Amino acid sequence: MGPARSPGAGGTGGSESAVEVVRSSVIAAPREQVWARVVTAEGVSDEFRPLLAMRFPTSLEGASIADVPLGRPAGRAWILLGGVIPLEYDDLVITELEPPRHFQERSSLGSCRVWDHRRELEELPDGSTRVTDTLRAVPRALVPRPVVRAVVGALFAHRHSRLARAFPRECDAGV
């Protein structure tokens, strides 16, 4: 377990124009296993499939979010329709990291001036892990807040579903 790292601010500063979405799920795996998946480009991209994929900056090839210098741009990640057509970009900046408990990203997207994403992993007594994503987004002027709320809510519901499928319960796996 590594030390907590945080070079600066998180949050949107209480902006009234921010949209907030919180999604929480219990994953049938120990926190360290879930962490090992959710900080890799492969694990994150799998959460977007099958319609979307996320291509991380080349600076993260073979690395994980845990390897990114805090508070500095890691490059541009792309969300791709069908794995090929660019839909959105994310100028990725990791601002906090406490393996295997949480990471926080404060970036800008094509659709949002501010994108705050905090992913927390809570170890539960039964050996499973509660994953909670808290997202605060400040949409750009032409993007309606209700659209951002609906899209982000649906995307993270899908991501949590995909993550849960990556760690099936023993009874779900037919064991």
Side-chain angles (χ1 to χ4, degrees), residues 9-21:
T12 59
S15 171
E16 290 181 23
S17 62
V19 171
E20 182 170 315
V21 174

Side-chain angles (χ1 to χ4, degrees), residues 2-6 70 97-99 102:
R5 300 187 323 178
S6 176
L70 294 180
L97 182 68
E98 185 180 349
H102 78 269

Side-chain angles (χ1 to χ4, degrees), residues 74-156:
R76 182 165 282 183
W78 287 94
I79 298 174
L80 307 167
L81 178 63
V84 293
I85 301 169
L87 288 181
E88 176 69 285
Y89 67 82
D90 179 346
D91 287 333
L92 186 64
V93 178
I94 303 299
T95 59
E96 291 182 30
L97 182 68
E98 185 180 349
R101 290 186 170 89
H102 78 269
F103 68 82
Q104 181 146 347
E105 166 196 2
R106 183 174 173 94
S107 304
S108 62
L109 308 180
S111 61
C112 297
R113 289 185 296 113
V114 176
W115 175 259
D116 263 333
H117 173 207
R118 182 177 183 90
R119 179 165 271 189
E120 297 177 284
L121 281 69
E122 176 189 355
E123 190 171 28
L124 299 177
D126 67 357
S128 61
T129 303
R130 181 182 322 282
V131 176
T132 302
D133 285 298
T134 303
L135 301 116
R136 290 181 191 86
V138 179
R140 296 195 186 272
L142 298 176
V143 183
R145 291 176 70 235
V147 170
V148 171
R149 184 180 318 279
V151 169
V152 171
L155 177 63
F156 275 83

